[in-house]
Amino acid sequence: MSTGIRIEGLTKRYGEGDTAVDALKGVDMYVAPGEVVGLIGPSGSGKSTLLKCLGAVIEPTSGRMILGDDVIYDDGWKITDLRALRRDKIGFVFQAPYLIPFLDVTDNVALLPMLAGVANSDARQRAVELLGALDIAHRAKGMPSQISGGEQQRVSIARALVNRPPVILADEPTAPLDSARALTVIRILHEMAHRYETAIIVVTHDEKIIPTFKRIYHIRDGKTHEEAGEGRALNEAEQG
Amino acid sequence: MISLAGRDIRHEWGKYVFTGIGLGLLIGVTLTMAGVYRGMVDDGKALLDNSGAELWVVQKETLGPYAEPSSLNDDAYRSILAVQGVAQAANVTYLTMQVRSAERDVRAMVVGIASGEAGTPGWPPYLVAGRQITRSHYEAVADVASGFALGDRVRIRRNFYTVVGLTRRMVSSGGDPMVFIPLKDAQEAQFLKDNDAVLQSRRRTSENPAFNRAGVPGLLDAVITSQSRNPYVNAVLVRLRPGYASDDVAESIERWQRLTVYTRPEMEGILIGKLIATSAKQIGMFLVILAIVSAAIVAFIIYTMTLGKIREIAVLKLIGTRNRTIASMIMQQALGLGLIGFAVGKIAASFWAPFFPKYVLLIPGDTIAGFFAVVVICMLASLIAIRAALRVDPADAIGG
């Protein structure tokens, strides 16, 4: 049984001496499998730093991170193959979809399992199934430039899910979308979290989607504060 | 695993192919420059091959007759014939000049060949039309590159010659077509002045008291006669009897005739090592510059293409793509560009080589060397872009 993602006393310091800046000052966080939590906070509060630590692209200064069943960081000790960790254990959904423009929709999704050594045909099969689950199977052969922004974001969600990671980090995934599409994307994230037992952390400023989270982490001055969200049903949110 | 480079190329094939064509034209110029050099070497070898000689006897301590002026008496061949191992010896003259036909001037090497028959050293070894020279005067055999046709009347100095035969690949080391005429005519052409100059020369001689002595009848006529004929040739071409080593015979001639003798390898060394050495260096410099320019173009294009994909590369790295996969993608693109360029360059060089005024020889060896040079250049050129790609931080894909 996966344990989602757990963070204990995570700190991150940039620089040294007088110029040192503590971006994270002991962050505690837990997201269960199948849960979608919001991470909100003002600019400069440490959201991006926390996301980069969670995404294993920068190394924390201290603390502990457990991803799925694996300790990936523990007070200076870290897992050695961060590339494989990001590929197999973490899914990313960005503010913009950042699809690879020279790969078609299917291969944009199938690329991750291919990178993990899955045979091309199996990887594509997995991608097509996921695209079907996200209602964009009809766009499977299209190029990213030929599909709408909302569809591109669904493809990026499919890419994040395709290796069945225990956690997905979504960085402002609804920022470029209008309200209807933003809520659609959030509903998809909730459905996917539920279906694939994935813990999803959504960094957002979007007032429309914040009420959909049952739990929210506020981050301010490098520290997180947990609070209960409205957990409004998505169809309710969609109706305004 | 799918080919990321192949997909990217296919996605932007227009830009890629047109860039490849541009690069290809540059590679075509590079291959052509190499072909020009090969053509010069081949012209030099053809000159030696077609002379039919195994030894070149020239004026002592000169590099004649192709690289330096050489002059020896036209009866020297008789004593050379007497040297053991010599089968044939024939006088020859070479004079590069303008040959006129109707209103057209052609730069040609006029070769004076001794009387004899086909196969005599110095004679064109084969004809593509017409016949060899059979008369003692005023007939010519010309290389087809001169543009002359059978029956054309060409003017060399004061005399007109009828083109009776055409030959092929008979060119000087400079690529000028050869025009063969009888030896006596060629000696005259080398020396003969116009009538006014002859009159002035005779007047000057007759007014010289050393030559015009009242008490020595016939002296003035003898001096004027000696002044008005040319008893010199540029070289004697020698063919050996079977079983004689060229070095041994050359040594005998040098010892007994006090002349300089070159064997085939020595003459080839003079032609290629000295006569066209400067041109070869010039072409070599061009090749180096063109290689650098090609590398710079590939590097610039690949670097620009890579910079245009920095965000995608950051995403690729973030989602777990290995550095070597990204490096391989960039290098494959550079190699793809090089391959398109090479194919276009090879086709272009083959297409335009025949239109060059001088012989351009595109040999398979140069093509293969060029191919590997393009591969190496592209690989090196891609290193800058690879370095830029590998420095991309996967964190750049995450906002903030």
Side-chain angles (χ1 to χ4, degrees):
Chain A
M1 180 64 185
S2 169
T3 54
I5 184 163
R6 182 182 297 279
I7 299 163
E8 295 164 359
L10 201 70
T11 69
K12 175 64 185 175
R13 171 173 288 188
Y14 291 108
E16 288 177 3
D18 295 341
T19 58
V21 175
D22 289 313
L24 299 179
K25 300 171 183 170
V27 170
D28 295 310
M29 198 174 186
Y30 172 69
V31 186
E35 187 183 18
V36 181
V37 301
L39 177 64
I40 59 178
S43 295
S45 58
K47 290 194 305 293
S48 291
T49 300
L50 178 57
L51 210 60
K52 286 172 184 174
C53 288
L54 293 172
V57 290
I58 62 171
E59 189 180 339
T61 305
S62 66
R64 193 160 189 252
M65 288 199 296
I66 302 162
L67 193 63
D69 300 318
D70 305 314
V71 177
I72 61 168
Y73 181 82
D74 191 357
D75 267 336
W77 177 89
K78 64 177 178 180
I79 204 161
T80 49
D81 194 351
L82 296 176
R83 181 187 53 76
L85 174 76
R86 290 197 300 267
R87 185 191 65 208
D88 300 332
K89 304 279 187 182
I90 306 170
F92 294 93
V93 179
F94 310 105
Q95 187 170 340
Y98 297 143
L99 301 179
I100 309 300
F102 49 83
L103 297 180
D104 65 21
V105 164
T106 304
D107 282 343
N108 257 287
V109 179
L111 181 63
L112 261 89
M114 287 176 187
L115 289 172
V118 175
N120 288 5
S121 56
D122 293 344
R124 288 200 178 103
Q125 178 66 29
R126 207 190 279 183
V128 168
E129 284 170 13
L130 208 47
L131 290 170
L134 288 161
D135 290 333
I136 43 169
H138 61 291
R139 293 296 205 179
K141 294 292 170 197
M143 298 302 285
S145 58
Q146 297 168 331
I147 61 178
S148 70
E151 288 172 328
Q152 287 185 23
Q153 198 59 297
R154 288 195 210 188
V155 176
S156 76
I157 292 170
R159 179 174 64 184
L161 283 164
V162 70
N163 274 349
R164 303 281 188 273
V167 64
I168 287 180
L169 306 176
D171 182 18
E172 306 257 15
T174 60
L177 304 176
D178 58 39
S179 300
R181 284 185 178 146
L183 288 169
T184 304
V185 165
I186 289 300
R187 188 178 60 219
I188 289 168
L189 287 176
H190 277 277
E191 284 172 7
M192 295 298 131
H194 180 69
R195 183 183 296 187
Y196 298 113
E197 286 288 292
T198 306
I200 299 181
I201 298 169
V202 180
V203 176
T204 186
H205 286 108
D206 194 337
E207 296 294 336
K208 298 182 295 293
I209 65 168
I210 290 172
T212 66
F213 302 120
K214 288 181 180 163
R215 281 198 307 133
I216 296 171
Y217 282 94
H218 283 273
I219 183 163
R220 192 173 294 119
D221 297 330
K223 285 187 174 176
T224 48
H225 309 281
E226 184 187 344
E227 65 179 51
E230 294 177 38
R232 196 184 293 179
L234 276 156
N235 53 355
E236 201 180 311
E238 280 167 315
Q239 285 163 9
Chain B
M1 181 66 192
I2 52 177
S3 164
L4 294 175
R7 296 299 183 89
D8 194 17
I9 291 168
R10 208 164 68 184
H11 182 63
E12 294 188 296
W13 69 269
K15 185 168 100 179
Y16 206 78
V17 167
F18 282 114
T19 307
I21 289 172
L23 178 67
L25 295 176
L26 196 63
I27 291 172
V29 173
T30 311
L31 290 174
T32 307
M33 292 301 291
V36 168
Y37 170 71
R38 294 293 181 193
M40 288 166 67
V41 171
D42 199 67
D43 281 348
K45 287 182 178 173
L47 174 65
L48 301 182
D49 289 340
N50 295 334
S51 70
E54 290 168 274
L55 296 177
W56 283 259
V57 182
V58 299
Q59 183 182 340
K60 193 171 176 67
E61 292 173 355
T62 70
L63 296 172
Y66 310 117
E68 281 183 358
S70 157
S71 168
L72 57 164
N73 277 303
D74 59 7
D75 57 1
Y77 82 97
R78 294 178 195 279
S79 46
I80 292 168
L81 269 174
V83 174
Q84 201 173 18
V86 174
Q88 284 180 297
N91 289 326
V92 69
T93 65
Y94 296 103
L95 176 64
T96 300
M97 60 182 296
Q98 297 297 119
V99 176
R100 293 177 187 81
S101 169
E103 296 302 310
R104 201 160 58 91
D105 260 11
V106 175
R107 183 97 185 144
M109 179 185 255
V110 175
V111 185
I113 52 174
S115 57
E117 57 189 20
T120 302
W123 281 49
Y126 59 90
L127 299 179
V128 293
R131 59 172 174 79
Q132 296 278 9
I133 294 168
T134 54
R135 294 184 183 172
S136 306
H137 294 288
Y138 311 128
E139 284 190 344
V141 169
D143 186 274
V144 288
S146 66
F148 299 143
L150 288 180
D152 277 2
R153 300 263 295 157
V154 298
R155 184 175 174 180
I156 298 171
R157 297 275 197 240
R158 287 164 49 184
N159 298 317
F160 285 92
Y161 296 78
T162 304
V163 176
V164 297
L166 294 174
T167 183
R168 191 187 293 279
R169 285 295 292 137
M170 299 295 291
V171 291
S172 72
S173 60
D176 299 321
M178 285 181 172
V179 175
F180 296 86
I181 61 173
L183 182 70
K184 289 292 177 193
D185 289 352
Q187 285 177 295
E188 198 178 277
Q190 277 194 335
F191 189 72
L192 192 63
K193 296 180 174 65
D194 60 83
N195 283 341
D196 289 337
V198 171
L199 280 172
Q200 288 293 327
S201 174
R202 284 178 184 169
R203 187 182 59 76
R204 193 173 284 122
T205 306
S206 66
E207 287 175 4
N208 187 332
F211 300 138
N212 195 2
R213 294 185 201 166
V216 190
L219 174 62
L220 180 63
D221 289 341
V223 170
I224 287 173
T225 303
S226 74
Q227 285 179 342
S228 56
R229 69 174 288 273
N230 172 17
Y232 298 105
V233 292
N234 298 126
V236 175
L237 305 179
V238 173
R239 194 171 289 153
L240 304 178
R241 291 181 190 284
Y244 284 87
S246 56
D247 287 336
D248 297 341
V249 178
E251 193 184 332
S252 291
I253 297 171
E254 282 187 330
R255 180 184 299 169
W256 299 111
Q257 306 301 323
R258 314 241 172 217
L259 296 166
T260 294
V261 184
Y262 293 110
T263 60
R264 166 67 197 242
E266 288 169 341
M267 193 49 91
E268 204 170 300
I270 290 169
L271 273 176
I272 295 164
K274 293 186 167 57
L275 201 58
I276 61 173
T278 310
S279 301
K281 283 179 193 162
Q282 186 97 335
I283 290 170
M285 279 301 295
F286 264 115
L287 289 175
V288 169
I289 290 168
L290 286 169
I292 292 169
V293 171
S294 302
I297 288 174
V298 175
F300 176 74
I301 292 164
I302 295 297
Y303 185 68
T304 308
M305 286 170 74
T306 304
L307 287 190
K309 291 194 287 275
I310 285 295
R311 179 67 83 166
E312 285 80 8
I313 288 169
V315 172
L316 283 170
K317 291 177 89 166
L318 184 69
I319 64 177
T321 309
R322 292 172 192 274
N323 278 342
R324 70 164 180 259
T325 306
I326 292 167
S328 165
M329 176 181 80
I330 295 167
M331 192 167 279
Q332 283 175 45
Q333 286 178 328
L335 288 173
L337 203 57
L339 291 180
I340 293 172
F342 181 79
V344 171
K346 175 64 185 153
I347 292 166
S350 303
F351 173 75
W352 64 45
F355 296 103
F356 273 68
K358 281 194 176 184
Y359 184 47
V360 177
L361 178 60
L362 303 170
I363 60 173
D366 284 348
T367 305
I368 293 166
F371 174 78
F372 284 110
V374 167
V375 168
V376 171
I377 285 171
C378 287
M379 287 171 76
L380 292 176
S382 67
L383 293 180
I384 301 167
I386 288 172
R387 185 168 173 269
L390 297 188
R391 287 162 68 104
V392 172
D393 188 348
D396 291 346
I398 297 174

